[in-house]
């Protein structure tokens, strides 16, 4: 994502120019109880030639905002580095930079027609007790209550207890359980399969699942089970930046996709799905055409797509 700094007001409003329904971002709470938008658990910087890391939730809001570009004219922010997937610490270089932001700022400054898919971020390596989860979620819900107005909101989390708890704390907005769909193994078995994700949703009264798309393609039989449970299904992952994979998900009955390459996938969806559907509706009964669009794929076909596409600001498009 080298064009615009991710998780910034500028990136969100740039994505809003395309036909998407939601933007997805991660929210964490600083030690002085301010919800901020940042993806990773740690922030990396450098001082006097020494690289150091700071946990987002261990910083105050003032500390967090002092890194990177500053809004105040003439003020220099502290350097920002980032950790690559292979563990290397690199300069965080983008073509168009922007400052960090709080959740409240996003509500005030991002196009009000754009929905927010708010991922409630918790560190996989920390055990969160009920009281701590409750405090963090209540701080976030307070900001949402104050600023959301008519903006569509979805909550999501990889933490099963947090997902179920935020549902108990409010019933205004839908809550989705995030899962890798079995592509990774965790100590908490509730995170290890789509079948377990269904159980989490039904036990907690959640509205749907957001799965890594590879987990769905490897276990396509879970899709009808999710639908039979009256749950919605969204997906994320690198494969969602491949137009053919997005088109296949539409045909499978998946409700929406979270993508990185907003412009490219928006155009592909229009060309491969929207325009053909509009043409077919002109020539026949709409309900019949909808029924025909949901087809079944064999495991062999899905495996072929996985192999074919594996070399390839996140936004959500609903079908």
């Amino acid at each position: 994502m080298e064009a615009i700094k991710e998780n910034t007001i500028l990136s969100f409003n740039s994505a809003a120019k395309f036909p998407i329904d939601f933007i997805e971002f991660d929210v964490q709470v600083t030690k002085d109880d301010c919800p901020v938008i940042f993806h990773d658990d740690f922030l990396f910087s450098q001082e006097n030639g020494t690289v150091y890391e700071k946990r987002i939730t261990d910083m105050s809001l003032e500390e967090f905002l002092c890194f990177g570009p500053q809004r105040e004219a003439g003020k220099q922010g502290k350097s920002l580095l980032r950790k690559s997937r292979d563990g290397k610490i690199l300069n965080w270089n983008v073509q168009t930079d922007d400052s960090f932001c709080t959740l409240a700022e996003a509500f005030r400054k991002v196009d009000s027609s754009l929905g927010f898919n708010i991922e409630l971020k918790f560190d996989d390596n920390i055990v969160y007790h009920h009281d701590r989860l409750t405090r963090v979620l209540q701080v976030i819900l307070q900001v949402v209550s104050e600023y959301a107005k008519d903006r569509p909101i979805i909550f999501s989390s990889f933490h099963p207890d947090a997902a179920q708890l935020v549902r108990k704390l409010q019933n205004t907005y839908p809550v989705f359980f995030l899962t890798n769909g079995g592509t990774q193994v965790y100590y908490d078995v509730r995170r290890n399969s789509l079948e377990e994700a269904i159980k989490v949703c039904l036990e907690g009264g959640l509205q749907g699942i957001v799965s890594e798309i590879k987990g769905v393609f490897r276990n396509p039989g879970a899709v009808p089970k999710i639908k039979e449970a009256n749950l919605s299904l969204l997906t994320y992952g690198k494969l969602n930046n491949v137009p053919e994979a997005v088109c296949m998900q539409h045909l499978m009955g998946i409700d929406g996709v979270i993508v990185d390459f907003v412009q490219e996938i928006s155009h592909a969806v229009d060309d491969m799905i929207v325009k053909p559907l509009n043409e077919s509706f002109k020539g026949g009964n709409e309900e019949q055409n909808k029924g025909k669009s949901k087809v079944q794929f064999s495991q062999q076909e899905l495996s072929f797509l996985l192999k074919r596409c594996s070399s390839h600001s996140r936004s959500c498009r609903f079908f």
Side-chain angles (χ1 to χ4, degrees), residues 6-225:
E6 65 182 45
N7 289 319
T8 62
I9 301 298
L10 180 60
S11 68
F12 298 153
N13 281 324
S14 296
K17 297 174 183 177
F18 299 97
I20 58 174
D21 301 284
F22 287 81
I23 52 171
E24 185 270 353
F25 52 77
D26 304 76
V27 170
Q28 304 182 59
V29 175
T30 61
K31 70 177 183 180
D32 52 350
D33 290 340
C34 182
V36 296
I37 299 176
F38 194 78
H39 179 271
D40 296 343
D41 297 316
F42 292 90
L43 176 153
F44 292 87
S45 187
Q46 188 172 21
E47 189 172 5
N48 298 324
T50 302
V51 174
Y52 66 93
E53 64 179 23
K54 300 202 76 171
R55 184 183 291 276
I56 303 303
T57 54
D58 287 343
M59 288 190 280
S60 67
L61 175 62
E62 183 179 6
E63 288 178 283
F64 174 73
L65 293 178
C66 76
F67 290 91
Q70 302 293 293
R71 292 193 175 90
E72 186 179 331
K75 187 175 182 180
Q76 183 72 30
K78 295 182 180 180
S79 67
L80 261 181
L81 308 174
R82 72 176 313 168
K83 194 173 187 178
S84 65
R85 291 183 181 274
D86 58 4
K88 294 179 181 177
I89 304 298
L90 308 170
N91 289 325
W92 197 342
N93 297 321
V94 292
Q95 295 171 21
T96 307
D97 215 339
D98 196 17
S99 307
F100 288 158
C101 67
T102 66
L103 179 60
E105 282 182 291
F107 275 113
R108 294 196 305 266
K109 297 178 180 180
V110 175
D111 187 327
S112 60
S113 66
L114 193 61
F116 284 178
N117 178 352
I118 300 173
E119 180 184 335
L120 308 167
K121 182 84 171 191
F122 296 94
D123 191 329
D124 289 340
N125 300 308
I126 294 178
V127 176
Y128 295 88
H129 297 293
H130 183 271
D131 289 348
R132 185 177 179 185
L133 281 178
T134 301
R135 181 181 65 80
V136 170
L137 294 176
Q138 285 178 332
V139 168
I140 295 171
L141 289 173
Q142 183 177 351
V143 172
V144 173
S145 175
E146 183 175 354
Y147 293 101
K149 299 181 181 178
D150 295 327
R151 188 189 298 272
I153 304 290
I154 293 173
F155 290 113
S156 60
S157 183
F158 282 103
H159 196 297
D161 294 331
Q164 293 181 340
L165 182 54
V166 78
R167 180 58 181 162
K168 290 179 181 177
L169 293 173
Q170 61 83 45
N171 58 13
T172 304
Y173 304 110
V175 181
F176 283 61
F177 180 49
L178 275 158
T179 177
N180 287 307
T183 59
Q184 290 178 264
V185 178
Y186 296 90
Y187 177 78
D188 189 336
V189 296
R190 296 175 295 177
R191 300 184 60 181
N192 288 341
S193 70
L194 289 169
E195 286 74 16
E196 287 293 331
I198 294 172
K199 292 179 185 178
V200 171
C201 291
L202 295 181
E203 290 171 1
L206 311 188
Q207 282 70 40
I209 295 169
V210 184
S211 174
E212 220 291 350
I213 182 54
K214 288 183 179 179
V216 176
F217 280 172
R218 290 172 181 173
N219 184 15
V223 176
K225 294 177 184 177

